[in-house]
Amino acid sequence: MKKKINRAQLAEQYFLEGYSCSQAVVLAFHDLMKLDEKTCLKIASPFGGGMGRLREVCGAFSGALIVLGYLKGNPTTDIKKKTKLYEDIQKMAKEFEDANGFLHCRDLLNLHNKSIAKPSKRTKQYYDHRPCQKIVASAASILEKYLY
């Protein structure tokens, strides 16, 4: 019997290795997408820091949407299929907000000043003062419910 992968823990592990929140979530599902790690990292790279540190929609949530779109996305113009996908996204967003308090990076991190493009160095202090590890796990956990 094959052991089920704990994708929330895997996403946390990738985040702690230095990957952005979006990359950590996407990478935790790369096997399901049947994509290599490098491709996943490249696809998810613009979404870290709430889209290039603009502090918009949380990168972990954006990463979850990348995976959802790849695995369950609608490649047609069918309105019913679009509606189903958008309903799932809205449900996921509500679950994410309920679990984490907010959907936007700036609110999650209480960073309402203009952000610079240069990412913060990953140090023990960085990890100790950020909720991102928990948020990444939360996004992966929520996403899993919509994939099976």
Side-chain angles (χ1 to χ4, degrees):
M1 183 173 178
K2 191 174 180 180
K3 183 180 176 188
K4 186 176 185 235
I5 297 170
N6 185 325
R7 301 204 186 262
Q9 284 182 345
L10 194 54
E12 280 185 85
Q13 175 188 323
Y14 287 130
F15 180 76
L16 292 173
E17 288 176 15
Y19 293 107
S20 73
C21 41
S22 56
Q23 289 175 315
V25 172
V26 173
L27 205 51
F29 292 88
H30 81 90
D31 61 315
L32 293 180
M33 295 189 294
K34 296 181 178 28
L35 293 174
D36 63 276
E37 291 181 7
K38 184 177 179 182
T39 299
C40 288
L41 291 169
K42 288 174 74 172
I43 290 168
S45 64
F47 299 95
M51 297 187 302
R53 289 181 54 96
L54 288 171
R55 304 300 183 203
E56 295 296 335
V57 172
C58 171
F61 187 76
S62 295
L65 295 186
I66 291 168
V67 176
L68 181 72
Y70 191 85
L71 294 175
K72 297 272 195 162
N74 173 32
T76 72
T77 58
D78 183 299
I79 296 295
K80 287 182 182 178
K81 290 181 181 179
K82 281 185 185 182
T83 300
K84 169 66 173 128
L85 180 64
Y86 294 167
E87 286 172 351
D88 284 350
I89 291 168
Q90 290 182 12
K91 288 176 190 172
M92 286 174 61
K94 179 163 180 4
E95 285 185 54
F96 185 87
E97 283 183 297
D98 288 348
N100 299 292
F102 302 99
L103 186 61
H104 286 87
C105 177
R106 69 177 152 271
D107 297 320
L108 289 163
L109 300 181
N110 197 23
L111 295 173
H112 297 278
N113 301 352
K114 185 175 178 176
S115 182
I116 59 169
K118 184 178 180 182
S120 301
K121 189 170 185 164
R122 297 293 181 91
T123 63
K124 182 179 179 342
Q125 184 180 23
Y126 172 93
Y127 290 114
D128 287 347
H129 290 91
R130 296 277 176 129
C132 302
Q133 180 181 348
K134 176 186 84 69
I135 292 168
V136 163
S138 172
S141 181
I142 290 166
L143 170 61
E144 263 192 305
K145 294 187 255 179
Y146 290 85
L147 296 181
Y148 303 108

